[in-house]
């Protein structure tokens, strides 16, 4: 089976009702990155940071995977599909995709701030993390999110996957955040690249086919193009 590698971003989940970060009205217009998404912010005002992610989690519980997520799952009949997502939601999982690598962490997990950095699943019935919630060793819990200024531990794994791609697909990312955006540079020469996004995104690739559509329509069209 050919390997179909898909890099997804916030636009993948937009039609499920989760707002993106950088579109008009997006999350980073309503919250400053420096206030809620950096290790310094967590040191300075952990309550605010925890509340921000508690809200994200609460919202996640109200939405469903869309036909874009589901369409990617269906492609597993024809391809060895590997999803590399920058999203911290679990909508690819809910849609049933088998291979998902989260580059920027996962909303429904927490991590210890202690040396071990143990990761725990969050009970969907009790999604709020507050100051004072500790791991079994007594360290404060934090969101299992890669914040700005932190290393992206899964990037090497992602690079290895991209190097094996027979087809590479980009869906709903502004390609502004590194190192994720740099993954395009590891796509092997000659491999076709498809870009699904309703807006202009600058991607440097000689073999690119742009599908200027939302994720749902775009995945439908992609399926028609590659499953001929
Ligand atoms: P952005 O908000 O930067 O980009 C979202 C992209 O989705 C844009 O290119 C939009 O045009 C596109 N888009 C909007 N609606 C769409 C739709 N219906 N279907 C398909 N695409 C659509 O989000 P990301 O590129 O994912 O990191 O942002 C990357 C990282 O920056 C995030 O993972 C997050 C953020 O800060 C952290 O929080 C660590």
């Amino acid at each position: 089976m050919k390997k179909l590698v898909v890099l997804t971003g916030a636009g993948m989940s937009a039609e499920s009702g989760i707002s993106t970060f950088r579109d008009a009205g997006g999350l980073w217009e309503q919250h400053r990155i420096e206030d809620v998404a950096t290790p310094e912010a967590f040191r300075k005002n952990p309550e605010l940071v925890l509340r921000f992610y508690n809200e994200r989690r609460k919202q996640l519980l109200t939405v469903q995977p869309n036909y874009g997520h589901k369409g990617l799952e269906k492609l597993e009949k024809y391809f060895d599909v590997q999803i590399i997502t920058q999203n911290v939601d679990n909508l690819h999982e809910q849609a049933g995709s088998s291979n998902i690598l989260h580059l920027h962490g996962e909303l429904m997990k927490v991590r210890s701030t202690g040396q071990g950095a143990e990761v725990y699943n969050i009970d969907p019935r009790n999604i709020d993390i507050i100051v004072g919630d500790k791991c079994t060793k007594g360290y404060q819990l934090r969101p299992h999110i890669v914040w700005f200024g932190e290393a992206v531990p899964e990037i090497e794994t992602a690079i290895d996957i991209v190097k094996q791609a027979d087809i590479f697909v980009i869906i709903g990312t502004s390609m502004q955040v590194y190192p994720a955006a740099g993954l395009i540079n590891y796509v092997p020469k000659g491999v076709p690249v498809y870009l699904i996004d309703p807006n202009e995104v600058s991607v440097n690739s000689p073999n690119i086919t742009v599908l200027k559509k939302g994720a749902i329509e775009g995945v439908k069209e992609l399926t028609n193009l590659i499953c001929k």
Side-chain angles (χ1 to χ4, degrees):
M1 259 187 176
K2 283 190 170 175
K3 204 175 190 77
L4 179 73
V5 178
V6 189
L7 173 66
T8 67
M12 184 79 229
S13 301
E15 287 160 283
S16 290
I18 301 182
S19 56
T20 64
F21 295 96
R22 296 176 182 80
D23 288 302
L27 265 184
W28 295 151
E29 254 181 28
Q30 297 158 45
H31 307 268
R32 281 162 22 112
I33 289 177
E34 313 82 69
D35 291 340
V36 295
T38 67
E40 293 75 27
F42 189 60
R43 273 196 291 275
K44 214 167 95 191
N45 194 343
E47 286 87 1
L48 178 69
V49 174
L50 291 175
R51 200 179 325 130
F52 174 74
Y53 287 100
N54 288 344
E55 278 166 20
R56 307 276 73 73
R57 234 171 265 125
K58 200 183 289 169
Q59 184 194 31
L60 175 55
L61 292 188
T62 69
V63 303
Q64 309 270 329
N66 62 51
Y67 282 105
H69 297 103
K70 290 178 187 167
L72 291 180
E73 187 276 328
K74 291 212 171 70
L75 282 172
E76 291 188 10
K77 260 193 252 159
Y78 310 98
F79 296 94
D80 169 11
V81 179
Q82 174 71 55
I83 294 171
I84 302 171
T85 187
Q86 296 166 83
N87 297 345
V88 296
D89 65 49
N90 57 8
L91 297 182
H92 285 302
E93 282 86 349
Q94 287 190 45
S97 284
S98 310
N99 307 305
I100 306 155
L101 182 73
H102 282 272
L103 275 183
H104 292 163
E106 294 175 66
L107 260 185
M108 293 307 286
K109 292 185 178 170
V110 272
R111 187 160 89 231
S112 167
T113 52
Q115 279 280 318
E118 294 86 356
V119 175
Y120 305 88
N121 288 320
I122 292 180
D123 179 346
R125 289 163 305 179
N126 186 14
I127 53 172
D128 284 348
I129 319 267
I130 56 172
V131 173
D133 284 348
K134 304 214 166 117
C135 73
T136 48
K137 292 181 187 155
Y139 295 101
Q140 174 67 41
L141 293 172
R142 58 163 278 178
H144 183 47
I145 300 286
V146 175
W147 284 324
F148 285 87
E150 292 187 315
V152 179
E154 298 291 2
I155 195 68
E156 292 301 326
T157 308
I159 290 171
D160 286 344
I161 293 167
V162 173
K163 283 179 175 168
Q164 294 166 34
D166 295 301
I167 302 176
F168 188 69
V169 182
I170 301 168
I171 306 177
T173 168
S174 59
M175 299 294 271
Q176 286 186 35
V177 174
Y178 285 80
L183 286 172
I184 184 74
N185 301 321
Y186 296 91
V187 175
K189 247 197 198 132
V191 162
V193 174
Y194 294 86
L195 172 79
I196 298 173
D197 201 297
N199 301 306
E200 208 73 44
V201 178
S202 149
V203 173
N204 197 3
S205 165
N207 299 308
I208 197 156
T209 304
V210 178
L211 308 177
K212 210 157 183 270
K213 304 202 150 143
I216 295 177
E217 276 307 308
V219 170
K220 220 187 272 174
E221 189 169 333
L222 172 77
T223 304
N224 290 335
L225 287 170
I226 63 178
C227 294
K228 274 189 285 201

Coordinates of all heavy atoms in Angstrom, one line a residue, residues 8-15 19-23 28 33 37 53 85-88 104 145-148 171-177 180 196-201 213-216, ligand 1:
T8 N -2.1 18.0 9.3 CA -3.3 18.8 9.5 C -3.0 19.9 10.6 O -2.2 19.8 11.4 CB -4.5 17.9 10.0 OG1 -4.2 17.4 11.3 CG2 -4.8 16.8 9.0
G9 N -3.9 20.9 10.4 CA -3.8 22.1 11.3 C -5.3 22.5 11.7 O -6.2 21.7 11.4
A10 N -5.4 23.6 12.4 CA -6.7 24.0 13.0 C -7.8 24.0 11.9 O -9.0 23.7 12.3 CB -6.5 25.4 13.6
G11 N -7.5 24.3 10.7 CA -8.6 24.3 9.6 C -9.3 23.0 9.5 O -10.4 22.9 9.0
M12 N -8.6 21.9 9.8 CA -9.2 20.6 9.7 C -10.4 20.5 10.6 O -11.4 19.8 10.2 CB -8.1 19.6 10.2 CG -8.5 18.1 10.1 SD -8.3 17.5 8.4 CE -9.9 16.8 8.1
S13 N -10.4 21.1 11.8 CA -11.5 21.0 12.7 C -12.4 22.2 12.7 O -13.4 22.3 13.4 CB -10.9 20.9 14.1 OG -10.1 19.7 14.2
A14 N -12.1 23.2 11.7 CA -12.9 24.4 11.7 C -14.4 24.1 11.4 O -15.3 24.7 12.1 CB -12.4 25.4 10.7
E15 N -14.6 23.2 10.5 CA -16.0 22.9 10.2 C -16.7 22.0 11.2 O -17.9 21.8 11.2 CB -16.1 22.3 8.8 CG -15.9 23.3 7.7 CD -15.4 22.7 6.4 OE1 -14.3 22.3 6.2 OE2 -16.3 22.6 5.5
S19 N -12.7 27.1 16.5 CA -12.1 28.2 15.7 C -10.6 28.0 15.6 O -9.9 27.4 16.4 CB -12.4 29.5 16.4 OG -11.9 29.5 17.7
T20 N -10.1 28.5 14.5 CA -8.6 28.4 14.2 C -7.9 29.4 15.0 O -8.5 30.2 15.8 CB -8.4 28.6 12.7 OG1 -8.7 30.0 12.4 CG2 -9.1 27.6 11.8
F21 N -6.6 29.5 14.9 CA -5.8 30.5 15.7 C -5.7 31.8 15.0 O -5.8 32.9 15.6 CB -4.4 29.9 15.9 CG -4.5 28.7 16.8 CD1 -4.5 27.4 16.2 CD2 -4.6 28.7 18.2 CE1 -4.5 26.2 17.0 CE2 -4.6 27.6 19.0 CZ -4.6 26.4 18.4
R22 N -5.4 31.8 13.7 CA -4.9 33.0 13.0 C -5.9 33.6 12.0 O -5.7 34.6 11.4 CB -3.6 32.8 12.3 CG -2.5 32.5 13.3 CD -1.1 32.2 12.7 NE -0.2 31.9 13.8 CZ -0.2 30.7 14.5 NH1 -1.0 29.7 14.1 NH2 0.6 30.5 15.5
D23 N -7.1 33.0 11.8 CA -8.1 33.6 10.9 C -8.7 34.7 11.7 O -8.5 34.9 12.9 CB -9.2 32.5 10.6 CG -8.6 31.5 9.6 OD1 -8.2 31.9 8.5 OD2 -8.7 30.3 9.9
W28 N -6.1 33.5 18.7 CA -5.0 34.4 19.0 C -5.4 35.9 18.9 O -4.6 36.8 19.2 CB -3.7 34.1 18.3 CG -3.1 32.8 18.5 CD1 -2.3 32.1 17.7 CD2 -3.1 32.0 19.8 NE1 -1.9 30.9 18.3 CE2 -2.3 30.8 19.5 CE3 -3.7 32.2 21.0 CZ2 -2.2 29.9 20.5 CZ3 -3.5 31.2 22.0 CH2 -2.7 30.1 21.7
I33 N -0.8 35.0 23.0 CA 0.0 33.8 23.1 C 0.8 33.9 24.4 O 0.9 33.0 25.2 CB 0.9 33.6 21.9 CG1 0.1 33.2 20.7 CG2 2.0 32.6 22.2 CD1 0.9 33.1 19.4
A37 N 0.0 30.6 26.4 CA 0.6 29.5 25.7 C 2.1 29.5 25.7 O 2.8 29.1 24.8 CB 0.1 29.4 24.3
Y53 N -7.1 26.4 29.0 CA -7.2 25.0 28.4 C -8.4 24.3 28.9 O -8.9 23.4 28.2 CB -5.9 24.3 28.7 CG -4.8 24.8 27.8 CD1 -3.8 25.7 28.3 CD2 -4.8 24.4 26.4 CE1 -2.9 26.2 27.4 CE2 -3.8 25.0 25.6 CZ -2.9 25.9 26.1 OH -1.9 26.4 25.2
T85 N -0.6 15.6 13.1 CA -1.5 16.8 13.4 C -0.9 17.8 14.3 O -0.2 17.4 15.3 CB -2.9 16.3 13.9 OG1 -3.8 17.5 13.9 CG2 -2.9 15.6 15.2
Q86 N -1.1 19.0 14.0 CA -0.7 20.1 15.0 C -1.9 20.3 16.0 O -1.8 21.1 16.9 CB -0.5 21.4 14.2 CG 0.7 21.3 13.3 CD 0.8 22.5 12.3 OE1 1.3 23.5 12.7 NE2 0.2 22.3 11.2
N87 N -3.0 19.7 15.7 CA -4.2 19.9 16.6 C -4.1 19.2 17.9 O -3.6 18.1 17.9 CB -5.5 19.5 15.8 CG -5.7 20.3 14.6 OD1 -5.0 21.4 14.4 ND2 -6.5 19.9 13.7
V88 N -4.6 19.8 18.9 CA -4.6 19.2 20.2 C -6.0 18.5 20.5 O -6.1 17.9 21.6 CB -4.2 20.2 21.3 CG1 -2.8 20.7 21.1 CG2 -5.1 21.4 21.4
H104 N 1.8 18.8 18.7 CA 1.7 19.9 19.7 C 0.9 19.5 21.0 O 0.5 20.3 21.8 CB 1.0 21.1 19.1 CG 1.8 21.8 18.1 ND1 1.3 22.7 17.1 CD2 3.1 21.7 17.8 CE1 2.3 23.1 16.3 NE2 3.4 22.5 16.7
I145 N 0.5 20.1 26.5 CA 0.5 20.9 25.3 C 1.9 21.4 25.1 O 2.6 21.7 26.1 CB -0.4 22.2 25.5 CG1 -1.9 21.8 25.8 CG2 -0.3 23.1 24.3 CD1 -2.7 21.3 24.6
V146 N 2.4 21.4 23.8 CA 3.7 22.0 23.5 C 3.5 23.5 23.4 O 2.8 24.0 22.5 CB 4.2 21.5 22.2 CG1 5.5 22.2 21.8 CG2 4.5 20.0 22.3
W147 N 4.0 24.3 24.4 CA 3.8 25.7 24.4 C 4.9 26.4 23.5 O 6.0 25.8 23.2 CB 3.9 26.3 25.8 CG 2.6 26.0 26.6 CD1 1.4 26.0 26.1 CD2 2.5 25.7 28.0 NE1 0.5 25.7 27.1 CE2 1.2 25.5 28.3 CE3 3.5 25.5 29.0 CZ2 0.7 25.2 29.5 CZ3 3.0 25.2 30.3 CH2 1.6 25.1 30.5
F148 N 4.6 27.6 23.1 CA 5.6 28.4 22.4 C 6.9 28.5 23.2 O 6.8 28.7 24.4 CB 5.1 29.8 22.0 CG 4.1 29.7 20.9 CD1 2.8 29.5 21.1 CD2 4.5 29.8 19.6 CE1 1.9 29.3 20.1 CE2 3.6 29.6 18.5 CZ 2.3 29.4 18.8
I171 N -3.5 20.0 5.2 CA -4.9 20.4 5.3 C -5.0 21.4 6.5 O -4.7 21.1 7.6 CB -5.9 19.3 5.6 CG1 -5.8 18.1 4.6 CG2 -7.3 19.8 5.7 CD1 -6.6 16.9 4.8
G172 N -5.5 22.7 6.1 CA -5.9 23.6 7.2 C -4.8 24.1 8.1 O -5.1 24.2 9.3
T173 N -3.7 24.4 7.6 CA -2.7 25.0 8.4 C -2.0 26.2 7.7 O -1.8 26.1 6.5 CB -1.6 24.0 8.9 OG1 -0.5 24.7 9.4 CG2 -1.0 23.1 7.7
S174 N -1.8 27.2 8.4 CA -1.2 28.4 7.8 C 0.3 28.3 7.6 O 0.9 29.1 6.9 CB -1.5 29.6 8.7 OG -0.9 29.4 10.0
M175 N 0.8 27.2 8.0 CA 2.3 26.9 7.8 C 3.1 28.0 8.3 O 4.1 28.4 7.7 CB 2.5 26.6 6.3 CG 1.8 25.4 5.7 SD 2.3 23.8 6.4 CE 3.7 23.4 5.3
Q176 N 2.7 28.5 9.4 CA 3.5 29.6 10.0 C 4.3 29.2 11.2 O 5.1 30.0 11.8 CB 2.6 30.8 10.4 CG 2.1 31.5 9.2 CD 1.3 32.7 9.6 OE1 1.6 33.4 10.6 NE2 0.2 33.0 8.8
V177 N 4.0 28.0 11.8 CA 4.6 27.6 13.0 C 5.6 26.5 12.8 O 5.3 25.5 12.2 CB 3.5 27.2 14.0 CG1 4.2 26.6 15.3 CG2 2.6 28.4 14.4
A180 N 6.9 22.5 12.6 CA 5.9 21.7 11.9 C 5.9 22.1 10.4 O 5.9 21.3 9.5 CB 4.5 21.9 12.5
I196 N -5.0 21.5 0.9 CA -6.4 21.8 1.0 C -6.6 23.0 2.0 O -6.2 22.9 3.2 CB -7.2 20.6 1.5 CG1 -7.1 19.4 0.5 CG2 -8.6 20.9 1.8 CD1 -7.6 18.1 1.0
D197 N -7.1 24.1 1.5 CA -7.2 25.3 2.4 C -8.1 26.3 1.6 O -7.8 26.5 0.4 CB -5.9 25.9 2.7 CG -5.9 26.8 4.0 OD1 -6.7 27.8 4.0 OD2 -5.3 26.4 5.0
P198 N -9.1 26.9 2.2 CA -9.9 27.8 1.5 C -9.2 29.2 1.2 O -9.6 30.0 0.4 CB -11.1 28.1 2.4 CG -10.7 27.7 3.7 CD -9.6 26.7 3.6
N199 N -8.1 29.4 1.9 CA -7.3 30.6 1.8 C -6.0 30.3 1.2 O -5.5 29.2 1.1 CB -7.2 31.3 3.1 CG -8.6 31.6 3.7 OD1 -9.4 32.3 3.1 ND2 -8.8 31.2 4.9
E200 N -5.3 31.4 0.8 CA -4.0 31.3 0.2 C -3.0 30.9 1.3 O -3.0 31.5 2.4 CB -3.6 32.8 -0.2 CG -2.7 32.8 -1.4 CD -3.3 32.5 -2.7 OE1 -4.5 32.9 -3.0 OE2 -2.7 31.7 -3.4
V201 N -2.2 29.9 1.0 CA -1.1 29.5 1.9 C 0.1 29.3 1.1 O 0.1 28.7 0.0 CB -1.4 28.1 2.6 CG1 -0.3 27.7 3.6 CG2 -2.7 28.2 3.4
K213 N -10.3 24.9 -0.9 CA -11.6 24.5 -0.4 C -11.5 24.2 1.1 O -10.4 24.1 1.6 CB -12.1 23.1 -1.0 CG -12.2 23.2 -2.5 CD -13.0 22.1 -3.0 CE -13.6 22.7 -4.3 NZ -13.8 21.8 -5.3
G214 N -12.6 24.2 1.8 CA -12.6 23.7 3.2 C -12.3 22.3 3.3 O -12.2 21.5 2.3
A215 N -12.0 21.8 4.5 CA -11.5 20.4 4.7 C -12.5 19.4 4.2 O -12.1 18.4 3.6 CB -11.2 20.2 6.2
I216 N -13.8 19.6 4.4 CA -14.8 18.6 4.0 C -14.8 18.4 2.5 O -14.6 17.3 2.0 CB -16.2 19.0 4.6 CG1 -16.2 18.9 6.1 CG2 -17.3 18.0 4.0 CD1 -17.5 19.4 6.7
Ligands
LIG1 P1 -3.8 28.6 11.9 O1 -5.0 29.3 12.6 O2 -2.5 29.4 11.9 O3 -4.2 28.3 10.4 C1 -5.5 27.8 10.1 C2 -5.5 27.5 8.6 O4 -6.8 26.8 8.4 C3 -5.5 28.7 7.8 O5 -4.6 28.5 6.7 C4 -6.9 28.8 7.3 O6 -7.0 29.4 6.0 C5 -7.4 27.4 7.2 N1 -8.8 27.2 7.3 C6 -9.8 27.9 7.8 N2 -11.0 27.4 7.6 C7 -10.8 26.2 7.0 C8 -11.6 25.1 6.6 N3 -12.9 25.1 6.8 N4 -11.0 24.0 6.1 C9 -9.6 24.0 5.9 N5 -8.8 24.9 6.2 C10 -9.4 26.0 6.8 O7 -3.6 27.2 12.6 P2 -2.4 26.2 12.5 O8 -1.7 26.3 11.2 O9 -2.9 24.8 12.9 O10 0.0 25.7 18.4 O11 -1.5 26.7 13.7 C11 -0.4 26.0 14.0 C12 -0.1 26.1 15.5 O12 -0.2 27.4 16.0 C13 -1.2 25.4 16.3 O13 -1.0 24.0 16.5 C14 -1.1 26.1 17.6 C15 -1.0 27.5 17.1 O14 -0.5 28.5 17.9 C16 0.1 25.7 19.7 O15 -0.8 26.2 20.4 C17 1.3 25.2 20.3

